[in-house]
Amino acid sequence: MNCPNCSSEMPDGARFCTQCGTDMTDPGSGPRTPGGTAAAEQTAPTGVGGGANLHEQLKAAMGDRYEMGDLLGRGGMGAVFKAVDNTLDRPVAVKVLPPELAHDEKFVGRFEREARTAAKLDHPGIIPIYAVEHSDDLYYFVMKYVTGRALDQMIAAGPLPIDTCQRILWESACALGHAHQRGVVHRDVKPANIMIDDAGRAMLTDFGISKQSQAASQFTATGQVIGTPHYMSPEQAKGIQVDGRSDQYSLGVVGYKMLTGRLPFAEESVHTVIYKHIFEEPTPVEQIRGDCPSNVAEAIRKSMAKDPEDRFASMEEFATMVWPENPVAGPSGAAPVASVTGPSITDAATQLTPPSGPVPAGGGPAPEPRKKKVPAVAVLGG
């Protein structure tokens, strides 16, 4: 089955197009616009099913603490609404699981795990969770509202400037390194899950299918292929155990797309894409974009090695090669990669160490480059 709006091939049983977000049960709603919503959703708040019922249910469940706003976006795991926290007087985003799925233990388990996983991660490159709530048939969590747009909307117009690509890759790698050192593998790194805020900073979102290394569950069991095919690592495509190097591969694909304006394997057939991720090599970045620095091209090539053993040992090493002027060091004595069989979560924070000296534990905003200032990414308010 193909999406009626963007013609992308859809996995069997999929409700939402992974490329443009079209709801297969309501194709006439159209794809998501650059603001993150479908054209039919811009005039009034709507639920995942296409009506205002979910909005009203959530409004009733949240009471006076929050003032509900418009729908920001939707996907297979829920809808996201803008709201205002009246107690703290700040805008927030609220992600809610569709009520019709609330009785499905598998979906509820994945949804709640997304909230628990993300809430344990404290890093400026990861969108924080403020609260996790449950009211009757509604499961939802409240998170930071980020004004900006998703990376996939930025690269829709073509390749990005080299400096912009370096900064986004560096910041995303630092955030993933923070997660990996705490036993969390994202498993769905793609442009749609990387938000660029209004200051040009990259922030990771949607840990809904992530896997805590020491607590694998039946919801993400070995043998189940989870993720987005065009950004999927070979080992993930095979349905075998993954660690942080799988995220590294996916981020490498994101970098490839940012630099070249195209995917390494862009065939419409999901099976063909997966086959090529496992068995074929992409055209080298430097052959498509001649002005790509050799260190950046090498970082992309190595991160996309078929064998995880041939990739970087950690996201910190990847970040350092992408932006040598700002090397990143992982925690002393910590394992460089989150292993699926790891016995515990590492509590040490990721250290970011630019040439001018260390920054506070846990990361922090990307330091300014030593040799040149990288311009902020232009974003749209949302």
Side-chain angles (χ1 to χ4, degrees), residues 290-303:
D291 65 337
C292 182
S294 58
N295 63 293
V296 177
E298 173 60 16
I300 299 300
R301 184 202 65 76
K302 186 169 183 178
S303 67

Side-chain angles (χ1 to χ4, degrees), residues 17 19 89 118 143 148 165 185 210 244 270 296 322:
C17 175
Q19 298 303 309
D89 191 25
M143 55 189 171
C165 294
V185 181
S210 65
V270 171
V296 177
V322 166

Side-chain angles (χ1 to χ4, degrees), residues 139-368:
Y139 292 83
Y140 60 92
F141 59 85
V142 183
M143 55 189 171
K144 180 178 180 179
Y145 174 72
V146 178
T147 303
R149 56 176 172 167
L151 180 59
D152 61 341
Q153 295 158 4
M154 290 178 57
I155 61 181
L160 301 181
I162 296 294
D163 290 348
T164 300
C165 294
Q166 286 179 282
R167 178 178 287 277
I168 292 174
L169 286 173
W170 190 93
E171 292 177 338
S172 299
C174 290
L176 286 169
H178 172 89
H180 295 168
Q181 295 293 350
R182 285 149 184 79
V184 177
V185 181
H186 191 288
R187 303 214 309 168
D188 196 23
V189 177
K190 58 185 178 182
N193 284 338
I194 300 176
M195 293 294 298
I196 309 301
D197 71 9
D198 54 9
R201 295 169 297 199
M203 301 185 74
L204 290 174
T205 186
D206 198 355
F207 280 79
I209 61 173
S210 65
K211 182 175 185 177
Q212 292 211 45
S213 301
Q214 79 292 352
S217 74
Q218 69 270 29
F219 305 126
T220 55
T222 300
Q224 182 180 2
V225 177
I226 297 177
T228 304
H230 287 94
Y231 296 89
M232 190 177 291
S233 70
E235 60 270 29
Q236 192 174 4
K238 294 175 184 177
I240 60 179
Q241 291 181 330
V242 301
D243 58 28
R245 293 170 296 186
S246 179
D247 285 346
Q248 183 186 137
Y249 183 98
S250 298
L251 186 59
V253 179
V254 171
Y256 192 104
K257 181 70 180 289
M258 284 197 293
L259 289 161
T260 67
R262 67 193 200 194
L263 289 163
F265 308 117
E267 286 72 16
E268 291 186 358
S269 167
V270 171
H271 297 292
T272 300
V273 170
I274 289 177
Y275 176 88
K276 290 193 172 185
H277 274 300
I278 296 173
F279 296 108
E280 297 188 9
E281 297 292 338
T283 301
V285 168
E286 62 271 26
Q287 291 187 21
I288 303 173
R289 184 162 185 176
D291 65 337
C292 182
S294 58
N295 63 293
V296 177
E298 173 60 16
I300 299 300
R301 184 202 65 76
K302 186 169 183 178
S303 67
M304 291 180 61
K306 302 300 182 186
D307 187 345
E309 295 295 330
D310 294 331
R311 299 173 202 156
F312 295 99
S314 68
M315 294 307 307
E316 289 80 10
E317 289 188 14
F318 174 85
T320 298
M321 176 162 279
V322 166
W323 199 355
E325 293 86 353
N326 290 303
V328 187
S332 177
V337 177
S339 168
V340 292
T341 56
S344 62
I345 297 178
T346 300
D347 291 325
T350 300
Q351 302 289 333
L352 308 185
T353 311
S356 57
V359 298
E368 290 300 319

